[in-house]
């Protein structure tokens, strides 16, 4: 740019651009271009007549060229230095420098400088009015110029010659050279116009302006874009704030709804809790009611059963025998019924605690089979037990509840089958992690159950039909108890039956296997040897007069001495002061009850067997009674045979 401006003779602009350029060059390693920049700056400053600055610039160009060892520019630089010297009236130094150039041998590269030096010398001579010397220099310069073809230089020389002739008053030559000079000047101007001229410069300036405008426009657009962007950000922020506010509002609303719902739920929960408590109270009341009713029924029932038994023992007439048998049957039925009701009541009130004791399943089933063999023979049924030998004999469970299940099912099978076959099948399904899974089947070839009744037989009081009840008896509670007990044992009963062909009741049980092999004590066979209990002394603690009479009579009938006391306190005293072989202790007594009395007795007498007589209620059970120090329990109303068996067990 600086060079272009220089070429266009726009020296001020040239100085500006070259200074800028030098400023940038300073940051780089020195190059010939750096030297040139100073050189052209010097030239431009010379043209602007700023010779002091020009001198500095040209010197700088000389130093850089020297450091870069550039030889070509040497003449040009010393030429310019000489020109500056001439302009600043250092004529002597200028002359020396010009002459140094002039005397150099002519070569194609130094034609311009040599011509220029000659021209400059001519000017010095012209100034000194040594016109001929001046003309001499100018002509020599013109000769060399003819070889380098620098038209500007030629034009300057022609003008200088014309001026010298003018001084010498040679008007003709002066005119002729001036004309040549002017012609040349004109042709230079024309050719310059063809190349780069003032118009180009203006166009360039215009272009610069346009560029500046474009930059301004761009900046404006960027500014606009920034503004748009910040506007967009603003909109987005507003939208975001709105959404957040809405969200907060929704949360607040939601929270309110939640609070309300929670309150509602709490209220409903409270209502439900109250309803549950009421239901529980009602259920408890029902259970208590059933327990009390059955307990209260047991006492008179004991009297009915006991007296019937006593009457039957007293050799009644044939006609009376029939009535007494019916009475015994009814009494027994009622006893069984009450026992079943009590059992269901206990299961429903969660009062049954399953025992976890070692037992031998094979023995249990065999015992049941033996105890029911009489029923089987009566109905002329083949009765078999098919027991899988793989089943471990040391299982853990509740043998009493299992017996109850089997008794009910086998009893039914034997009851509803005549001249057929009843089989109990026990099969080991798996034995893993000390758990034996066993499948049980009670099969019969009896009357069967109609398909539509299959589901309902497990419901309370559901008997196949009224005829069945009349013909076969039963309470309609047995299967209900079985189902409920199996549920307690995490099992389920299934039934398959075809009318006239037979029925099969089946269920699986998972029973734990005891780690130690069970020691199977051969149970002492209790024989019904009444001779062994003859003459023994028994204390009966009982407040009910009828029961006192029945028990006393039943004992005396077997030649047992019997003393009766009707309250606990006196009983304790009597045991303290007398020697009894056995005490029969009623549980429900006026004053201190049988359990407390037993506890007191055990403080001074641990040997005398005490047997509880109880019409077992909801909150009484064998374990509870034994925990007070009783030796065994006999449930009222007692079956005479069981009663005598119990006495034999403790007295013999
Ligand atoms: P029940 O005391 O009447 O035997 P269950 O609850 O034990 O009461 O039985 C209910 C009813 O199911 C019986 O009345 C009978 O109709 C039917 N049932 C039960 N077991 C058998 C069976 N093995 N064969 C035929 N019917 C049976």
């Amino acid at each position: 740019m600086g060079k272009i401006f220089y070429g266009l003779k726009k020296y001020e602009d040239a100085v500006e651009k070259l200074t800028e350029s030098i400023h940038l060059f300073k940051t780089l390693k020195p190059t010939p271009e750096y030297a040139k920049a100073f050189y052209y700056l010097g030239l431009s400053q010379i043209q602007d007549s700023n010779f002091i600055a020009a001198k500095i610039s040209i010197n700088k160009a000389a130093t850089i060229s020297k450091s870069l060892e550039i030889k070509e520019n040497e003449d040009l630089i010393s030429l310019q230095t000489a020109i500056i010297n001439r302009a600043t009236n250092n004529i002597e130094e200028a002359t020396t420098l010009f002459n140094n150039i002039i005397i150099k041998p002519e070569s194609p590269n130094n034609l311009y400088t040599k011509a220029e030096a000659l021209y400059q010398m001519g000017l010095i001579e012209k100034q000194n009015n040594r016109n001929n010397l001046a003309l001499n220099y100018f002509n020599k310069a013109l000769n060399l110029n003819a070889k380098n073809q620098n038209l500007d230089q030629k034009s300057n020389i022609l003008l200088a010659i014309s001026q010298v002739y003018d001084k010498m008053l040679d008007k003709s030559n002066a005119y002729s050279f001036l004309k040549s000079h002017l012609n040349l000047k004109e042709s230079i101007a024309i050719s310059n116009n063809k190349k780069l001229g003032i118009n180009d410069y203006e166009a360039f300036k215009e272009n610069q302006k346009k560029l500046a405008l474009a930059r301004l426009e761009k900046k404006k657009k960027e500014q606009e874009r920034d503004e748009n962007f910040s506007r967009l950000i603003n909109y987005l922020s507003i939208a975001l704030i709105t959404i957040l506010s809405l969200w907060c509002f929704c949360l607040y609303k939601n929270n309110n709804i939640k609070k309300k719902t929670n309150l509602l739920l709490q209220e409903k929960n409270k209502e439900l809790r109250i309803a549950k408590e009421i239901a529980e109270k009602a259920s408890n009341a029902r259970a208590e009611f059933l327990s009390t009713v059955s307990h209260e029924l047991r006492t008179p029932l004991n009297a009915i059963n006991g007296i019937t038994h006593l009457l039957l023992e007293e050799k009644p007439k044939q006609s009376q025998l029939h009535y007494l048998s019916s009475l015994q049957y009814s009494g027994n039925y009622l006893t069984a019924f009450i026992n079943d009701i009590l059992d269901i009541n206990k299961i429903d009130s969660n009062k049954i605690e399953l025992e976890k004791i070692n037992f031998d399943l094979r023995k249990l089933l065999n015992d049941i089979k033996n105890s029911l063999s009489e029923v089987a023979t009566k109905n002329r049924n083949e009765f078999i037990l098919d027991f899988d030998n793989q089943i471990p004999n040391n299982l853990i469970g509740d043998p009493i509840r299992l017996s109850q299940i089997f008794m009910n099912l086998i009893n039914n099978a034997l009851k509803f089958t005549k001249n057929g076959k009843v089989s109990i099948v026990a099969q080991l399904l798996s034995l893993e992690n000390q758990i034996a899974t066993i499948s049980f089947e009670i099969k019969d070839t009896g009357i069967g159950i109609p398909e539509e009744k299959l589901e309902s037989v497990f419901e309370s009081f559901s008997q196949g039909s009224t005829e069945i009840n009349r013909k076969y008896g039963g309470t309609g509670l047995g299967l209900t108890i079985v189902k409920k007990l199996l549920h307690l044992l995490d099992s389920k009963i299934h039934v398959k039956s075809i009318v006239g062909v037979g029925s099969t009741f089946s269920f699986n049980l998972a029973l734990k296997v005891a780690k130690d092999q069970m020691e199977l004590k051969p149970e002492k066979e209790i024989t019904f040897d009444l001779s062994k209990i003859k003459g023994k002394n028994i204390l009966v603690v009982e407040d009910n007069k009828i029961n006192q009479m029945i028990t006393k009579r039943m004992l005396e009938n077997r030649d047992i001495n019997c003393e009766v006391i009707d309250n606990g306190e006196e009983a304790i005293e009597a045991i303290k002061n007398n020697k009894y072989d056995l005490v029969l202790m009623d549980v429900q007594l006026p004053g201190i009850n049988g359990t407390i009395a037993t506890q007191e007795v055990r403080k001074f007498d641990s040997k005398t067997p005490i047997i509880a007589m109880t019409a077992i209620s909801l909150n009484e059970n064998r374990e509870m009674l034994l925990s007070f120090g009783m030796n065994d329990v006999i449930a009222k109303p007692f079956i005479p045979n069981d009663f005598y068996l119990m006495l034999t067990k403790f007295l013999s």
Side-chain angles (χ1 to χ4, degrees):
M1 285 283 286
K3 276 168 82 178
I4 289 167
F5 280 127
Y6 176 76
L8 291 169
K9 299 189 171 70
K10 295 284 167 189
Y11 303 118
E12 257 178 51
D13 290 338
V15 168
E16 188 191 314
K17 292 295 163 197
L18 287 165
T19 313
E20 237 175 85
S21 146
I22 286 164
H23 191 68
L24 291 172
F25 271 128
K26 265 185 196 164
T27 60
L28 306 170
K29 250 169 95 180
T31 56
E33 293 303 315
Y34 187 30
K36 245 184 217 170
F38 271 114
Y39 176 72
Y40 276 98
L41 178 64
L43 292 192
S44 304
Q45 287 161 335
I46 291 170
Q47 295 302 330
D48 268 351
S49 306
N50 186 357
F51 296 110
I52 297 165
K55 195 169 184 176
I56 295 166
S57 301
I58 294 295
N59 281 345
K60 197 81 184 155
T63 324
I64 297 164
S65 295
K66 215 173 185 178
S67 74
L68 293 172
E69 293 174 1
I70 304 164
K71 292 260 174 350
E72 306 92 77
N73 302 333
E74 249 176 22
D75 286 351
L76 279 171
I77 288 168
S78 60
L79 175 73
Q80 296 307 333
T81 315
I83 289 171
I84 292 164
N85 281 336
R86 188 184 71 81
T88 51
N89 280 327
N90 283 332
I91 305 295
E92 218 168 300
E93 275 174 49
T95 310
T96 318
L97 285 171
F98 287 138
N99 282 328
N100 280 344
I101 297 167
I102 292 165
I103 57 168
K104 282 202 175 164
E106 192 183 306
S107 83
N109 290 335
N110 65 7
L111 290 175
Y112 170 80
T113 32
K114 272 175 81 89
E116 190 66 22
L118 287 167
Y119 164 68
Q120 290 292 337
M121 280 304 293
L123 287 182
I124 292 169
E125 293 309 331
K126 183 181 140 220
Q127 211 168 1
N128 292 337
N129 290 320
R130 292 199 279 252
N131 294 332
N132 283 330
L133 262 174
L135 275 179
N136 193 22
Y137 277 120
F138 289 144
N139 281 326
K140 280 181 184 167
L142 212 52
N143 280 339
L144 279 177
N145 176 267
K147 293 175 191 168
N148 74 35
Q149 294 289 325
N150 188 310
L151 296 180
D152 276 329
Q153 191 178 51
K154 190 179 177 180
S155 158
N156 287 341
I157 299 167
L158 288 174
L159 180 63
I161 293 172
S162 158
Q163 283 166 349
V164 175
Y165 278 124
D166 190 43
K167 268 190 179 176
M168 290 165 77
L169 302 173
D170 184 347
K171 297 289 176 190
S172 158
N173 265 330
Y175 173 75
S176 148
F177 277 99
L178 186 62
K179 201 175 174 189
S180 301
H181 160 75
L182 287 174
N183 282 343
L184 190 60
K185 194 106 177 153
E186 199 175 345
S187 69
I188 290 168
I190 290 164
S191 82
N192 272 354
N193 272 350
K194 272 183 196 160
K195 289 194 256 163
L196 264 170
I198 193 77
N199 288 346
D200 295 297
Y201 172 71
E202 291 308 330
F204 173 75
K205 276 272 184 188
E206 194 62 26
N207 211 20
Q208 287 282 75
K209 251 188 215 165
K210 271 185 190 165
L211 276 174
L213 263 172
R215 266 203 297 274
L216 216 71
E217 194 74 14
K218 202 177 156 196
K219 223 175 183 173
K220 217 169 143 187
K221 270 188 185 158
E222 272 174 8
Q223 216 169 340
E224 256 173 38
R225 212 181 55 207
D226 284 353
E227 270 171 23
N228 281 345
F229 186 65
S230 59
R231 210 172 297 144
L232 186 74
I233 295 270
N234 280 349
Y235 289 150
L236 280 177
S237 309
I238 291 166
L240 196 73
I241 290 166
T242 317
I243 290 168
L244 277 176
S245 313
L246 275 172
W247 187 60
C248 286
F249 181 70
C250 282
L251 272 183
Y252 170 75
K253 274 265 170 197
N254 217 5
N255 206 27
N256 273 355
I257 293 170
K258 240 189 212 165
K259 265 190 198 162
K260 271 187 197 160
T261 321
N262 267 353
L263 263 174
L264 208 74
L265 273 177
Q266 270 171 7
E267 262 172 42
K268 287 281 159 210
N269 264 352
K270 209 171 151 190
E271 279 172 26
L272 278 176
R273 234 190 343 262
I274 292 167
K276 189 179 158 242
E277 276 166 19
I278 291 171
E280 270 174 3
K281 268 187 198 159
S283 160
N284 285 345
R286 182 178 137 271
E288 280 300 329
F289 169 75
L290 276 173
S291 170
T292 317
V293 167
S294 51
H295 185 263
E296 289 309 311
L297 280 174
R298 274 163 182 269
T299 317
L301 203 54
N302 197 33
I304 296 168
N305 286 358
I307 293 170
T308 314
H309 169 75
L310 292 175
L311 287 173
L312 275 167
E313 277 200 336
E314 286 179 6
K315 296 194 184 74
K317 285 187 225 155
Q318 199 58 36
S319 60
Q320 288 172 331
L321 194 69
H322 177 69
Y323 294 133
L324 285 174
S325 305
S326 294
L327 197 61
Q328 192 179 39
Y329 176 82
S330 301
N332 286 341
Y333 172 81
L334 217 53
T335 311
F337 185 74
I338 288 169
N339 284 342
D340 284 353
I341 293 255
L342 256 175
D343 268 336
I344 292 178
N345 198 24
K346 269 196 171 176
I347 300 172
D348 286 347
S349 319
N350 294 325
K351 294 275 179 181
I352 285 200
E353 273 179 33
L354 290 172
E355 273 196 304
K356 286 193 180 90
I357 54 169
N358 279 21
F359 74 100
D360 181 356
L361 184 66
R362 184 196 287 271
K363 186 176 175 301
L364 183 123
L365 289 174
N366 253 323
D367 287 350
I368 293 171
K369 188 178 168 248
N370 291 339
S371 71
L372 294 174
S373 60
E374 215 177 296
V375 194
T377 345
K378 206 168 91 191
N379 283 348
R380 290 185 295 279
N381 284 327
E382 190 188 342
F383 187 19
I384 55 164
L385 169 63
D386 178 1
F387 192 87
D388 186 350
N389 285 329
Q390 307 279 336
I391 298 174
N393 62 5
N394 51 333
L395 297 170
I396 296 175
D398 189 334
I400 294 178
R401 297 298 161 195
L402 284 179
S403 300
Q404 214 175 348
I405 294 167
F406 289 118
M407 282 290 244
N408 271 308
L409 293 173
I410 301 167
N411 233 332
N412 277 350
L414 291 170
K415 189 166 73 174
F416 294 109
T417 311
K418 294 230 156 68
N419 304 317
K421 184 176 168 185
V422 171
S423 32
I424 313 162
V425 186
Q427 198 109 39
L428 182 72
L429 293 181
S430 68
L431 182 58
E432 273 169 26
N433 304 328
Q434 293 295 103
I435 303 272
T437 309
I438 306 162
S439 87
F440 296 95
E441 275 185 345
I442 288 89
K443 292 198 267 194
D444 67 57
T445 56
I447 60 167
I449 306 165
E451 211 182 326
E452 68 274 12
K453 292 274 174 193
L454 275 179
E455 279 299 309
S456 62
V457 288
F458 297 102
E459 285 163 22
S460 299
F461 308 110
S462 70
Q463 293 184 316
S465 66
T466 38
E467 291 86 62
I468 283 186
N469 180 259
R470 247 174 261 139
K471 196 168 166 192
Y472 299 94
T475 58
L477 292 173
L479 289 182
T480 312
I481 294 175
V482 169
K483 188 181 169 184
K484 284 179 191 274
L485 284 177
L486 280 175
H487 179 73
L488 280 183
L489 294 166
D490 283 332
S491 180
K492 209 176 164 195
I493 184 126
H494 301 280
V495 59
K496 276 191 233 154
S497 187
I498 299 171
V499 175
V501 178
S503 318
T504 302
F505 286 83
S506 59
F507 58 93
N508 293 345
L509 279 180
L511 295 165
K512 238 184 171 168
V513 181
K515 284 214 179 84
D516 321 310
Q517 194 65 21
M518 201 168 58
E519 207 187 309
L520 284 177
K521 280 187 255 156
E523 230 174 70
K524 222 167 83 190
E525 189 70 29
I526 301 161
T527 42
F528 208 48
D529 188 354
L530 290 171
S531 62
K532 287 187 175 161
I533 59 173
K534 255 189 195 165
K536 300 277 182 185
N537 291 321
I538 290 187
L539 172 69
V540 177
V541 190
E542 165 73 80
D543 64 322
N544 183 293
K545 296 283 176 243
I546 304 169
N547 283 344
Q548 280 178 7
M549 183 268 285
I550 295 165
T551 315
K552 194 168 188 275
R553 199 57 187 269
M554 279 174 79
L555 291 173
E556 285 171 355
N557 278 359
R558 296 292 179 265
D559 295 326
I560 298 167
N561 302 322
C562 171
E563 190 183 326
V564 179
I565 291 175
D566 66 357
N567 65 78
E569 291 85 346
E570 280 179 33
I572 298 169
E573 282 308 304
I575 297 167
K576 219 181 248 176
N577 303 324
N578 301 295
K579 167 90 185 83
Y580 299 106
D581 295 307
L582 191 138
V583 179
L584 285 170
M585 179 80 79
D586 186 19
V587 176
Q588 305 281 329
L589 288 170
I592 59 165
N593 67 20
T595 48
I596 305 295
T598 308
Q599 212 169 27
E600 289 302 311
V601 171
R602 286 298 175 230
K603 285 181 184 166
F604 58 86
D605 179 349
S606 59
K607 285 215 176 96
T608 313
I610 303 178
I611 292 167
M613 289 189 298
T614 175
I616 293 176
S617 67
L618 193 64
N619 296 315
E620 282 174 11
N621 60 47
R622 199 180 143 78
E623 286 66 43
M624 186 273 273
L625 294 171
L626 296 190
S627 73
F628 283 93
M630 299 189 160
N631 296 70
D632 215 328
V633 182
I634 183 151
K636 278 194 283 189
F638 35 74
I639 296 149
N641 270 357
D642 293 349
F643 177 67
Y644 290 129
L645 205 63
M646 179 78 80
L647 296 184
T648 329
K649 188 173 147 192
F650 286 97
L651 289 174
S652 52

